[in-house]
C-alpha cells in the first residue's frame, strides 16, 4: 500500500496526501457515534464549456444508475438498510458525494462512495432516462419563481463569467449531452489531484487513510482545473423580466472578494445584521414596520475567485417599486453608517452562536473541514474561528459596508407581472 506523501495535524483535524494527489482529511469528534464521509471532485458548472452546460450535474445523477458491482437499487439500499444515508450535490466549482453512517459502517460507506465515484457504468440507456429527470428538474426550477429569479440574477451579475451559468444547464445542452461526453468528463476530471476525501465523527485518522487508500490509491493523478479570474465590486443596473403570477420577486447583489479573502468575516457579520434573522434591519423595516413582504432576507456565497452578497424579497406587483426603494434606502443607511458598537457586538454573538450550534452536526463539521481545503483557507480550530469573528472591528465592517452595500452598485433583477 502506498505511503502518504505528507501529513498535517491541528487539534482534532488531520490531513494526509496520497502519492497520486488524493487528499484525505478527518476531524475526530469523540462525543458522537456516527461519521459523515464524502468525496469532493473539483468539477462544477464553472468548469464547463458552452456545449457541456450541466454536464457535471448530469454526471452526478448518472453515477447512481449503476456500477460494475452494484445495481441502482443496490446502491440505494447499501446504506439505507444500515440506517445510513447517501446523497450528492453539484455546485459552481465542485461535485460532492456524501454518506452518513454509524461508525462501524464507515468501511461500507467508503466502499460505496468509491464504487459510484470511480466505477460508474455511464450507459447510454441510463443517460436517456436520467436526462428526462434533469429536464423535469429544470422545469421545476422554471415553475418556481423564487428559484428562477436567482438564476436570472446570476446571469445579470456575472456578465458572462462561468459563475453566472446554471448548474442544471439548459434544455438544449442537456438534450444534446452524449454518454461519450460524460465518459470523457469522468475520465479527465475524476482523478487523484482533483479529489478531496473527508470524514468527521467518531473515527481514527489512520484507519480512515487505510480504507481510502484501498480504494483510491490506484487511480492516476491529475491537476485541478482553474476557474477564470473575475473582478469584485459593482456591476450595477436593473433588469426586469415579465412573468405571470401574483408576486414580484426581487434580488439585489454585488460581487465580493473570494472566500479566502480577509473581507469574508466582516461581510458575514454585515449580511447577518442586514437580513439574517427576525431582528435584522430588513426584516424589521420591510416586513414588521411596513408589511411589504413575507419573505425578505440577505444571503452570501463565496467561491474561489469571487463571491456575492445580496438580498431577496417577494412582494405584490403594486408594491414592488416601494419595496425596492425601501430596501435601497436600507442599503444606503448601512453603507453610510456601518454598524454601531452595540449592533456589532450583538451580531457577533449571533454568528458565533450559529457557528457553534451548526457544528454539533458531523455533516456541518465535514463541510467546514473540507471547505478550508477546497478554497485554500487557513485551517482554523473552533476557538480560532470564534476569535476571528471577535477580532472584526467596527472600522472593518464600515469599510466593507461602504464598498459592498452601496445602493448605486447593486445589480437588481425583478421577476413578475408587468416587470418588463
Amino acid at each position: 500500500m502506498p505511503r502518504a506523501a505528507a501529513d498535517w495535524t491541528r487539534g482534532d483535524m488531520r490531513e494526509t496526501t496520497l502519492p497520486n494527489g488524493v487528499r484525505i482529511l478527518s476531524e475526530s469528534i469523540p462525543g458522537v457515534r456516527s461519521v459523515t464521509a464524502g468525496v469532493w471532485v473539483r468539477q462544477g458548472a464553472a468548469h464547463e464549456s458552452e456545449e457541456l452546460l450541466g454536464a457535471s450535474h448530469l454526471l452526478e445523477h448518472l453515477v447512481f444508475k449503476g456500477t460494475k458491482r452494484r445495481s441502482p437499487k443496490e446502491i440505494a439500499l447499501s446504506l439505507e438498510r444500515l440506517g445510513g444515508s447517501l446523497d450528492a450535490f453539484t455546485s459552481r466549482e465542485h461535485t460532492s458525494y456524501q454518506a452518513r453512517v454509524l461508525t462501524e459502517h464507515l468501511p461500507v460507506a467508503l466502499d460505496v462512495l468509491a464504487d459510484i465515484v470511480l466505477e460508474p457504468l455511464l450507459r447510454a440507456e441510463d443517460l436517456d432516462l436520467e436526462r428526462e429527470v434533469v429536464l423535469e428538474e429544470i422545469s421545476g426550477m422554471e415553475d418556481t419563481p423564487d428559484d428562477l429569479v436567482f438564476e436570472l440574477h446570476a446571469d445579470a451579475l456575472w456578465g458572462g463569467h462561468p459563475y453566472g451559468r446554471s448548474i442544471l444547464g439548459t434544455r438544449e445542452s442537456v438534450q444534446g449531452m452524449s454518454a461519450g461526453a460524460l465518459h470523457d468528463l469522468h475520465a479527465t476530471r475524476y482523478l487523484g489531484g482533483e479529489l478531496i476525501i473527508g470524514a468527521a465523527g467518531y473515527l481514527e485518522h489512520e484507519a480512515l487513510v487505510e480504507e481510502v487508500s484501498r480504494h483510491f490509491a490506484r487511480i492516476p493523478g491529475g491537476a485541478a482545473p482553474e476557474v477564470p479570474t473575475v473582478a469584485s465590486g459593482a456591476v450595477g443596473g436593473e433588469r426586469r423580466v415579465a412573468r405571470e403570477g401574483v408576486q414580484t420577486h426581487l434580488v439585489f447583489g454585488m460581487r465580493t472578494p473570494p472566500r479566502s479573502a480577509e473581507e469574508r468575516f466582516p461581510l458575514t457579520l454585515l449580511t447577518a445584521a442586514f437580513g439574517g434573522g427576525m431582528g435584522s434591519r430588513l426584516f424589521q423595516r420591510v416586513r414588521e414596520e411596513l408589511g411589504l413582504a413575507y419573505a425578505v432576507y440577505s444571503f452570501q456565497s463565496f467561491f474561489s475567485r469571487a463571491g456575492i452578497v445580496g438580498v431577496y424579497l417577494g412582494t405584490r406587483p403594486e408594491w414592488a417599486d416601494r419595496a425596492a426603494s425601501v430596501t435601497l434606502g436600507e442599503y444606503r443607511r448601512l453603507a453610510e453608517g456601518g454598524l454601531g458598537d452595540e449592533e456589532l457586538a450583538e451580531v457577533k454573538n449571533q454568528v458565533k452562536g450559529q457557528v457553534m450550534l451548526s457544528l454539533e452536526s458531523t455533516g456541518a463539521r465535514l463541510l467546514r473541514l473540507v471547505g478550508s481545503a477546497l478554497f485554500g483557507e487557513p485551517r482554523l480550530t473552533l476557538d480560532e474561528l470564534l476569535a476571528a469573528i471577535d477580532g472584526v472591528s467596527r472600522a472593518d465592517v464600515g469599510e466593507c459596508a461602504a464598498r459592498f452595500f452601496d445602493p448605486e452598485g447593486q445589480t437588481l433583477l425583478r421577476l413578475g407581472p408587468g416587470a418588463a
Side-chain angles (χ1 to χ4, degrees):
M1 183 179 301
R3 294 181 62 82
D7 212 352
W8 171 92
T9 303
R10 185 157 202 185
D12 293 323
M13 299 180 289
R14 295 188 65 183
E15 177 177 346
T16 295
T17 302
L18 300 182
N20 63 352
V22 173
R23 298 172 67 181
I24 307 169
L25 291 84
S26 74
E27 182 172 5
S28 175
I29 309 172
V32 300
R33 289 297 179 268
S34 65
V35 177
T36 301
V39 179
W40 274 258
V41 188
R42 294 181 186 272
Q43 173 62 37
H47 301 118
E48 297 166 349
S49 64
E50 291 292 333
E51 313 85 67
L52 293 178
L53 295 180
S56 306
H57 175 254
L58 189 52
L59 177 58
E60 173 232 307
H61 272 242
L62 201 56
V63 303
F64 287 88
K65 301 303 290 184
T67 70
K68 295 178 180 179
R69 294 193 288 124
R70 290 181 173 91
S71 68
K73 186 174 182 179
E74 287 170 336
I75 293 172
L77 290 176
S78 59
L79 301 184
E80 284 186 7
R81 62 164 59 101
L82 302 175
S85 60
L86 183 64
D87 200 3
F89 68 85
T90 305
S91 70
R92 294 276 188 261
E93 296 180 298
H94 311 106
T95 307
S96 176
Y97 304 90
Q98 297 179 41
R100 186 182 182 199
V101 292
L102 297 177
T103 294
E104 58 263 35
H105 299 143
L106 178 58
V108 179
L110 291 171
D111 182 69
V112 174
L113 288 170
D115 200 21
I116 62 175
V117 169
L118 300 181
E119 303 290 347
L121 295 175
L122 307 181
R123 295 173 296 203
E125 58 267 32
D126 294 327
L127 173 58
D128 291 338
L129 181 64
E130 206 61 27
R131 188 195 321 274
E132 297 304 318
V133 173
V134 173
L135 289 172
E136 287 302 313
E137 194 173 356
I138 292 173
S139 295
M141 179 272 294
E142 292 174 344
D143 273 349
T144 310
D146 50 345
D147 288 339
L148 177 60
V149 69
F150 282 94
E151 296 274 308
L152 297 171
H153 183 268
D155 180 63
L157 177 72
W158 296 108
H161 186 274
Y163 284 153
R165 295 173 180 167
S166 172
I167 293 170
L168 301 180
T170 66
R171 291 183 179 278
E172 294 73 22
S173 65
V174 171
Q175 287 171 336
M177 206 79 66
S178 69
L182 296 181
H183 271 285
D184 290 344
L185 179 63
H186 184 268
T188 57
R189 290 295 193 232
Y190 281 49
L191 300 174
E194 298 168 15
L195 299 185
I196 294 178
I197 300 170
Y202 190 67
L203 57 85
E204 293 182 354
H205 182 77
E206 293 77 11
L208 173 68
V209 171
E210 182 177 352
E211 286 293 332
V212 171
S213 297
R214 286 181 55 240
H215 299 292
F216 290 90
R218 58 185 169 80
I219 66 174
E226 293 289 340
V227 175
T229 58
V230 57
S232 64
V235 175
E238 179 177 343
R239 182 185 297 180
R240 301 188 179 199
V241 179
R243 178 191 174 103
E244 293 184 3
V246 295
Q247 274 196 314
T248 294
H249 302 266
L250 298 92
V251 173
F252 307 76
M254 185 184 286
R255 299 176 186 175
T256 72
R259 177 166 166 160
S260 59
E262 61 185 11
E263 291 93 342
R264 176 186 168 198
F265 290 112
L267 284 170
T268 297
L269 295 174
L270 284 163
T271 301
F274 198 44
M278 294 175 62
S280 67
R281 292 186 178 194
L282 285 175
F283 192 95
Q284 287 297 310
R285 178 65 173 155
V286 175
R287 175 169 163 165
E288 295 297 283
E289 293 180 20
L290 301 177
L292 292 174
Y294 171 74
V296 54
Y297 58 84
S298 57
F299 63 90
Q300 62 185 25
S301 294
F302 296 112
F303 313 122
S304 66
R305 296 292 194 175
I308 174 177
V309 290
V311 167
Y312 164 84
L313 69 88
T315 189
R316 298 179 194 175
E318 61 268 27
W319 290 353
D321 286 341
R322 188 182 182 204
S325 177
V326 169
T327 301
L328 289 171
E330 290 301 311
Y331 265 107
R332 180 170 289 105
R333 187 164 73 92
L334 183 60
E336 294 176 353
L339 302 179
D341 291 333
E342 183 176 348
E343 188 177 12
L344 178 58
E346 288 176 352
V347 78
K348 283 181 179 180
N349 285 333
Q350 176 187 345
V351 171
K352 288 189 298 181
Q354 290 170 342
V355 167
M356 287 187 283
L357 289 173
S358 72
L359 293 182
E360 293 187 356
S361 156
T362 57
R365 290 280 190 104
L366 179 61
L367 289 175
R368 186 174 82 94
L369 176 71
V370 173
S372 61
L374 289 171
F375 294 101
E377 302 169 36
R379 220 67 62 82
L380 302 178
T381 65
L382 177 57
D383 287 341
E384 290 169 335
L385 176 60
L386 299 178
I389 295 169
D390 273 331
V392 176
S393 69
R394 185 176 176 184
D396 294 333
V397 296
E399 179 182 346
C400 281
R403 287 175 60 193
F404 302 111
F405 290 81
D406 177 3
E408 302 302 322
Q410 302 303 315
T411 298
L412 170 59
L413 194 294
R414 294 196 195 199
L415 174 67

